[in-house]
Amino acid sequence: MSPSRASPNVGAVTSVRGSVVDVRFDERLPPIYTLLRAGAGGRIVMEVLSQRDAHHVRAIALTPTQGLARGIRVLDSGGPLRAPVGQAILSRMFDVFGNTIDGGPALSGVEGRSVHRSPPPLAQRSTRSEIFETGIKIIDALAPLERGGKAGLFGGAGVGKTVLLTEMIHNMIRHQQGVSIFCGIGERSREGEELYREMRQAGVLPNMVMLFGQMNEPPGARFRVGHAALTMAEYFRDDEHRDVLLLVDNIFRFIQAGAEVSGLMGQMPSRLGYQPTMGTELAGLEERIANTEAGAITSIQAVYVPADDFTDPAAVHTFSHLSASIVLSRKRASEGLYPAIDPLQSASKMATPGIVGARHYDLAQEIRRTLAQYAQLKDIIAMLGLEQLSARDRGIVARARRLERFLTQPFFTTEQFTGLQGELVAITDTLDGCERILRDEFQDVPERALYMIGTVAQVKRPTQIVQEPTTRMTDAEAHSDAP
């Protein structure tokens, strides 16, 4: 290092507008993404996002800016934001700076890597298409996930996105011996505390890392926490050759934080007020999630859909990166059909005969066809009653209602609320159950016997029959399973 570079690069604040800080450097200008520190002990951290001229940079604060004023001394850290990597980070919870926030001892002597990394080149990516088995029936049967791919959980507030993510963490660690990384972007700190406690009680924390950029933190911190989580995931994939399950809750908050940063930086807003660089920013994050010969990062991302509007630009841009889309339905949640996944709107690029096999593909198509026909018949049933349908249509209704109930499932992470033991169901058992229902093997069994069970082998167990919540069906339809 030259003597000029060895000396600290010191600047001074020239203006402060909320989270946007302009800094003057007379000696040399810090590069883009460099961290700047100010205040006592460097407690105020900023990231350079633009170079205004030969002596001024504009930075976005990653911490609150209380106490910052014009003329205050600013120190160039000489590098970008770094995330800790290594075995020591397992079972710990971090903030965007790599500080532990779980009440445990601080990490020491841990390697830090820049959060600004390039996606793996195409030559290093794996070309194999493999299924990532979740143990959740409706996902594995109708919208199978790709190992090393990206899946989106779409839904409004309160339909079960976080519960579904938590269940997948449990299944990944307990049954597939992988590493799970949970990244909370702009979510409630209460959820983080509950998740940490539940994972510790379940005994899966030793193979899990958690990062949080809480909703009360500045937009700059929320915008970078996803990059920090990916840096950790890339370490386990590339250095330790392990499969990683990266769960992001919520990718919409990443886009939202980017919109706040863009507005603060003075950029002209685009459609519906989103930032003009939304597509580039999202792609920069998503393209780092990939399947290489060393291992795979499989990502499942909760996507909040504003006002349940799937034409919103945030939802549309996110869709373009996904290999599977799992859509949560408020109507199904109100009917007690959990997980509240809409089987007709959810889809996967893996659901082709060449990947899942001809039997799985044909069964999935028949399940969708049966449920779609039932959806079309609901208006007739509501107006005229079930008795006015032909015998063939009544058979379709009976099969569809039994399929809907069989595709519900008790979760391990909700045992304390439901009193039902969680179930992990293999794909073969799920397909066998659906095939037998479609063949009318359970036409003499009450619908409720198929509700909240694992495999069809549990149908005849009286203790497994749970009274399902009342749905908005007609009396005639409600008694359609009577002998």
Side-chain angles (χ1 to χ4, degrees):
M1 182 179 291
S2 64
S4 63
R5 292 297 295 170
S7 60
N9 189 21
V10 179
V13 174
T14 58
S15 73
V16 182
R17 296 183 303 281
S19 292
V20 177
V21 183
D22 287 353
V23 185
R24 178 181 176 86
F25 287 90
D26 292 324
E27 188 177 343
R28 59 182 178 271
L29 215 57
I32 301 295
Y33 297 145
T34 300
L35 280 194
L36 309 178
R37 294 182 177 273
R43 63 179 181 82
I44 299 174
V45 184
M46 300 160 281
E47 183 181 65
V48 176
L49 287 188
S50 71
Q51 297 175 334
R52 306 289 290 171
D53 52 40
H55 294 287
H56 291 84
V57 296
R58 177 161 290 178
I60 190 79
L62 306 185
T63 57
T65 56
Q66 282 88 348
L68 202 61
R70 276 187 285 185
I72 285 183
R73 182 174 180 267
V74 176
L75 182 65
D76 177 0
S77 70
L81 179 65
R82 294 183 174 273
V85 296
Q87 283 288 327
I89 69 173
L90 289 172
S91 79
R92 302 304 301 271
M93 187 191 300
F94 300 92
D95 63 11
V96 69
F97 303 107
N99 303 317
T100 55
I101 55 173
D102 53 11
L107 296 181
S108 60
V110 178
E111 178 190 355
R113 292 186 181 176
S114 169
V115 303
H116 303 284
R117 299 166 65 86
S118 300
L122 288 174
Q124 295 180 9
R125 301 197 182 205
S126 174
T127 56
R128 294 193 305 271
S129 294
E130 301 176 60
I131 297 299
F132 178 83
E133 189 170 346
T134 65
I136 298 171
K137 290 184 288 188
I138 191 167
I139 293 176
D140 290 342
L142 298 179
L145 307 187
E146 178 185 11
R147 178 179 174 269
K150 298 173 276 285
L153 282 178
F154 290 84
V159 292
K161 295 187 298 296
T162 302
V163 171
L164 200 52
L165 287 182
T166 309
E167 183 72 6
M168 289 183 185
I169 291 175
H170 180 280
N171 294 351
M172 170 70 172
I173 296 176
R174 180 65 62 85
H175 301 283
Q176 300 195 30
Q177 310 305 317
V179 176
S180 282
I181 297 180
F182 184 92
C183 177
I185 304 178
E187 291 298 305
R188 304 166 186 84
S189 56
R190 168 185 59 79
E191 291 177 347
E193 190 277 331
E194 289 175 355
L195 182 63
Y196 181 82
R197 182 162 27 87
E198 289 167 5
M199 295 298 103
R200 185 173 56 190
Q201 291 172 354
V204 299
L205 204 56
N207 284 305
M208 184 174 177
V209 184
M210 301 172 69
L211 285 93
F212 281 92
Q214 299 172 25
M215 59 170 50
N216 65 312
E217 295 183 20
R222 288 182 270 124
F223 189 56
R224 288 294 177 225
V225 71
H227 298 91
L230 264 170
T231 303
M232 294 179 178
E234 287 166 343
Y235 164 80
F236 288 110
R237 179 192 66 190
D238 300 334
D239 292 39
E240 298 205 357
H241 307 296
R242 300 178 70 177
D243 282 358
V244 181
L245 178 62
L246 174 65
L247 299 114
V248 181
D249 188 9
N250 184 306
I251 200 68
F252 172 78
R253 305 295 178 199
F254 168 79
I255 295 173
Q256 194 176 49
E260 292 180 54
V261 169
S262 175
L264 289 167
M265 294 296 291
Q267 293 180 341
M268 183 71 71
S270 182
R271 183 167 170 244
L272 295 187
Y274 287 106
Q275 65 272 39
T277 54
M278 176 172 64
T280 305
E281 292 167 358
L282 187 61
L285 187 76
E286 298 280 10
E287 287 303 303
R288 291 171 63 182
I289 302 168
N291 185 3
T292 67
E293 296 300 332
I297 300 176
T298 303
S299 176
I300 302 171
Q301 306 165 8
V303 185
Y304 169 70
V305 181
D308 292 342
D309 177 16
F310 285 90
T311 64
D312 187 89
V316 171
H317 276 265
T318 306
F319 262 121
S320 64
H321 292 280
L322 304 177
S323 57
S325 301
I326 300 168
V327 179
L328 298 175
S329 162
R330 197 174 303 280
K331 183 176 185 300
R332 289 178 68 84
S334 68
E335 293 174 355
L337 299 173
Y338 291 103
I341 296 171
D342 190 322
L344 300 180
Q345 284 192 291
S346 303
S348 171
K349 295 176 183 175
M350 295 292 101
T352 62
I355 297 175
V356 299
R359 175 176 178 256
H360 186 163
Y361 175 78
D362 292 340
L363 264 175
Q365 292 296 96
E366 189 173 355
I367 292 168
R368 289 181 187 277
R369 188 161 48 246
T370 302
L371 294 175
Q373 289 172 331
Y374 173 46
Q376 292 174 345
L377 292 170
K378 280 184 177 179
D379 289 341
I380 299 175
I381 295 170
M383 291 186 294
L384 304 176
L386 188 69
E387 295 81 1
Q388 300 302 315
L389 298 180
S390 65
R392 176 180 172 276
D393 287 346
R394 282 200 297 271
I396 290 172
V397 170
R399 285 191 289 274
R401 286 178 62 82
R402 283 168 174 78
L403 280 172
E404 284 184 336
R405 280 142 188 79
F406 176 66
L407 292 175
T408 62
Q409 188 169 344
F411 282 174
F412 293 96
T413 51
T414 58
E415 287 178 357
Q416 57 182 322
F417 306 112
T418 63
L420 301 174
Q421 183 177 354
E423 295 282 350
L424 184 93
V425 185
I427 291 181
T428 52
D429 292 333
T430 300
L431 296 179
D432 287 342
C434 292
E435 189 174 41
R436 292 176 64 183
I437 291 171
L438 290 168
R439 289 203 307 249
D440 290 335
E441 289 189 25
F442 297 96
Q443 61 181 347
D444 297 327
V445 174
E447 291 173 0
R448 65 181 181 275
L450 292 158
Y451 180 69
M452 283 294 172
I453 62 170
T455 66
V456 288
Q458 300 174 11
V459 167
K460 297 180 181 178
R461 298 181 187 177
T463 56
Q464 291 290 327
I465 300 179
V466 184
Q467 185 64 44
E468 59 179 302
T470 304
T471 61
R472 300 177 182 176
M473 304 304 296
T474 62
D475 291 340
E477 189 179 359
H479 294 88
S480 63
D481 57 358

